[in-house]
Amino acid sequence: MSKATLTIDLQAIADNWRALDRMTKAETAAVVKADSYGLGAARVAKTLAEAGARQFFVALTEEGVALRQALGEGTVINVFSGHMPGDAEAIAGAALTPMINSTEQLLRQFETLPGHAFGIQLDSGMNRLGMEPAEWAALRDIALSQNPRLIMSHLACSDAPDHEMNDAQLRSFSDMTQGVEVPRSLSATGGILLGPEYHFDVTRPGIGLYGGRPFTDARPVVTLDVPVIQTRSVTPGETVGYGNTWRAESTVKIATVAAGYADGLLRAMGNATGTACFQHEGVTLPILGRVSMDLITVDVSALEEVPATLQLLGQSQGVDDLAEWAGTIGYEVLTSLGARYARNYAG
Ligand SMILES: *Cc1c(COP(=O)(O)O)cnc(C)c1O
């Protein structure tokens, strides 16, 4: 077996959903956009539906259509990008709920799908998606007359609890939705952790389900085991990998493993310093030299015997560790995980 194996612990995802659900009095939805952050939306959403999730969020209509096929009837599937041109048939066919982001989208919704479920996304300061306060003030009465299912907004800085933006957005969202009887939603994973005033009626965790920060109490979800192809000794003065970025000062045993940046193991993770690591049974094994497209070279001098596989992600080392080494965030590490792995679902 020469492919690396990515194991996704569905039980851990369900446990993380339950843990986030227990933190609030609100309904806990689940964000499964981008194929559940790369982990497989159909499998993940079915698991969460069994755990009790009744409401899901995707980014695109196409994702919603695929998710409806996987889930069948009986769940709400909300689409963050709203009602895009040409999507009416797909939205109706898959019984999706677009989160309407603009006047243009609202008119499109009312013209092409009168009476069909929709929600409203408001911009409370992030300036990415949603209606601005003035736009909402002008449309509010007509929008509310058509019975929206949800009114939502999104926090820009919820991973930084002390950031003043959190309170500013909370006040903006509260002002814009004052006196509205429709269920409200403001918080993703970070917002859940900010406290009850951020919870409203529906929460929308994504990354916390998948074991990433800022939900530091999450159970780890992904394990990545990479086969060793060959080993060799390098002697003082010899170099390893492209660009000769690492040079041996003593004799070192190197294992070459079968995954690289084509598998989403970001090239920025490898460098001359050996800070990014694999693991084997509690032993930390530094990556030496550059990450190649399909290969990584690892210092296995600390092991008596070289095992068949080395572990990059697991219980003791998670997506946020990799993210730190690559100068990015857990979200990007997860969504980068490539299509070439043998994927296993556990739990
Ligand atoms: C991605 C996303 C979420 C989920 O965010 P996490 O930080 O992964 O919990 C929630 N709401 C919106 C609008 C999003 O784009």
Side-chain angles (χ1 to χ4, degrees):
M1 184 67 179
S2 64
K3 274 188 187 180
T5 304
L6 184 72
T7 306
I8 295 149
D9 186 344
L10 295 170
Q11 201 52 54
I13 295 176
D15 284 349
N16 290 335
W17 182 83
R18 287 188 200 99
L20 290 163
D21 186 48
R22 281 193 297 270
M23 287 181 196
T24 79
K25 295 196 176 77
E27 174 185 351
T28 305
V31 177
V32 295
K33 64 191 180 192
D35 200 25
S36 277
Y37 295 39
L39 300 182
R43 301 294 294 265
V44 168
K46 275 189 207 167
T47 302
L48 291 175
E50 275 167 32
R54 284 291 158 267
Q55 204 161 163
F56 295 86
F57 288 86
V58 293
L60 307 173
T61 296
E62 289 82 348
E63 294 176 344
V65 170
L67 188 63
R68 179 61 77 204
Q69 272 165 9
L71 285 176
E73 291 169 15
T75 52
V76 174
I77 301 175
N78 300 306
V79 181
F80 287 136
S81 58
H83 188 148
M84 297 286 282
D87 279 357
E89 211 174 307
I91 290 168
L96 307 179
T97 309
M99 297 291 114
I100 299 298
N101 289 296
S102 63
T103 310
E104 193 188 8
Q105 287 200 348
L106 193 72
L107 293 175
R108 187 178 294 135
Q109 176 76 8
F110 289 173
E111 271 167 26
T112 60
L113 295 174
H116 185 90
F118 70 100
I120 299 281
Q121 184 155 201
L122 300 177
D123 176 36
S124 55
M126 189 176 184
N127 286 309
R128 189 181 67 168
L129 275 183
M131 296 186 201
E132 303 260 330
E135 189 179 12
W136 172 236
L139 287 176
R140 187 178 145 129
D141 288 347
I142 175 149
L144 292 178
S145 75
Q146 300 302 307
N147 188 25
R149 307 296 169 93
L150 188 73
I151 300 187
M152 61 165 285
S153 188
H154 192 50
L155 297 168
C157 303
S158 67
D159 57 344
D162 297 330
H163 204 295
E164 63 191 13
M165 185 69 165
N166 294 320
D167 187 54
Q169 287 194 265
L170 175 61
R171 273 184 287 139
S172 169
F173 185 61
S174 300
D175 287 350
M176 281 190 280
T177 58
Q178 192 90 50
V180 168
E181 305 265 300
V182 178
R184 292 183 289 177
S185 177
L186 179 61
S187 287
T189 305
I192 293 173
L193 304 172
L194 290 179
E197 68 271 36
Y198 287 86
H199 295 164
F200 293 91
D201 305 298
V202 178
T203 63
R204 311 184 307 268
I207 193 71
L209 306 174
Y210 311 116
R213 269 183 219 155
F215 184 30
T216 45
D217 293 337
R219 284 188 57 193
V221 166
V222 282
T223 307
L224 181 59
D225 297 295
V226 188
V228 175
I229 303 174
Q230 75 169 131
T231 56
R232 77 185 72 244
S233 282
V234 297
T235 53
E238 286 193 289
T239 57
V240 175
Y242 281 124
N244 288 4
T245 59
W246 187 83
R247 186 178 297 271
E249 283 171 6
S250 55
T251 299
V252 165
K253 191 161 54 171
I254 299 284
T256 303
V257 299
Y261 61 76
D263 302 291
L265 304 182
L266 305 173
R267 186 171 173 278
M269 193 171 71
N271 52 36
T273 63
T275 42
C277 296
F278 277 74
Q279 299 274 328
H280 180 68
E281 292 175 352
V283 183
T284 294
L285 309 164
I287 294 174
L288 298 179
R290 286 194 179 148
V291 172
S292 302
M293 186 184 293
D294 318 295
L295 301 166
I296 299 177
T297 37
V298 185
D299 178 358
V300 289
S301 309
L303 301 179
E304 295 273 300
E305 255 180 72
V306 180
T309 62
L310 302 179
Q311 189 163 82
L312 188 60
L313 289 167
Q315 294 297 317
S316 55
Q317 182 168 294
V319 290
D320 291 303
D321 296 302
L322 261 63
E324 217 154 271
W325 292 327
T328 181
I329 53 176
Y331 300 71
E332 194 181 24
V333 168
L334 279 176
T335 54
S336 299
L337 291 172
R340 193 158 52 168
Y341 300 119
R343 283 170 181 247
N344 280 339
Y345 288 88

